[in-house]
Amino acid sequence: MTRAEERKVEIQRLFDMAVRGLASQDWQLSTATDKYGREISRYRSENRKCAIGHLISTEVYGPAIENRSVSDFDVRWMISVSTGIATSNVETVMFLEAMQVAHDSCILNVYPDGETREKTQRKASTRLRCNFRAIADKFQLSWPTEVNA
């Protein structure tokens, strides 16, 4: 197997872990409220994790990574230690960044007139699922068979 083929298998493994994790929490976003009352993305919050948070084991996770990008060395190190997959090559970093953006772009801090926070969150969950479908297409990945699209 070539290194490019190995990398493709590794990216598929990372994708599968993230999708299974998000599906297990019903595609709910991992957010917290900042001091200004805005929702912000978190690797872990309450009983939820973002896509990247599902790649980081409890043993290596540390709250110091919150508010850091997945391109930060410490975050990628935690993913590598947790999964056994190297995260230093450009293609893998681009893939991880795409997953982070797919999650974080679903957070809304403005609710349309008459719409509750809960209704907006349901829409965000649908958008998150769609974003991950788009990632599968972009990176030519298969959808985990046990997870409903």
Side-chain angles (χ1 to χ4, degrees):
M1 185 180 292
T2 67
R3 183 62 191 129
E5 292 168 330
E6 288 174 4
R7 198 170 300 123
K8 173 85 169 170
V9 169
E10 291 169 349
I11 287 173
Q12 180 69 57
R13 279 186 49 217
L14 294 170
F15 181 75
D16 291 351
M17 285 186 270
V19 168
R20 286 182 185 120
L22 291 169
S24 74
Q25 63 192 39
D26 199 26
W27 297 92
Q28 295 293 309
L29 299 176
S30 177
T31 62
T33 304
D34 70 8
K35 64 182 178 180
Y36 303 106
R38 297 175 303 197
E39 281 192 69
I40 56 172
S41 181
R42 306 298 280 177
Y43 288 104
R44 294 181 179 207
S45 67
E46 299 171 7
N47 294 321
R48 294 183 225 141
K49 300 176 186 176
C50 71
I52 303 302
H54 283 290
L55 306 178
I56 300 172
S57 69
T58 301
E59 293 77 28
V60 299
Y61 168 79
I65 66 165
E66 297 296 349
N67 302 320
R68 291 191 192 174
S69 168
V70 71
S71 41
D72 181 279
F73 175 81
D74 292 336
V75 178
R76 288 186 293 111
W77 177 84
M78 288 180 182
I79 294 168
S80 293
V81 169
S82 299
T83 64
I85 296 172
T87 58
S88 56
N89 66 72
V90 173
E91 186 179 1
T92 303
V93 172
M94 287 175 52
F95 168 72
L96 293 170
E97 288 173 344
M99 287 204 304
Q100 188 166 50
V101 168
H103 175 273
D104 295 358
S105 67
C106 294
I107 298 170
L108 296 176
N109 282 297
V110 177
Y111 307 115
D113 289 340
E115 195 165 288
T116 63
R117 182 173 187 257
E118 290 73 29
K119 184 175 181 182
T120 302
Q121 287 176 332
R122 282 193 302 276
K123 286 181 179 179
S125 295
T126 300
R127 195 167 36 255
L128 182 59
R129 229 181 351 261
C130 291
N131 286 353
F132 272 80
R133 272 302 202 179
I135 287 173
D137 291 343
K138 178 179 180 177
F139 288 90
Q140 299 176 338
L141 302 169
S142 58
W143 195 258
T145 54
E146 71 280 7
V147 176
N148 292 331

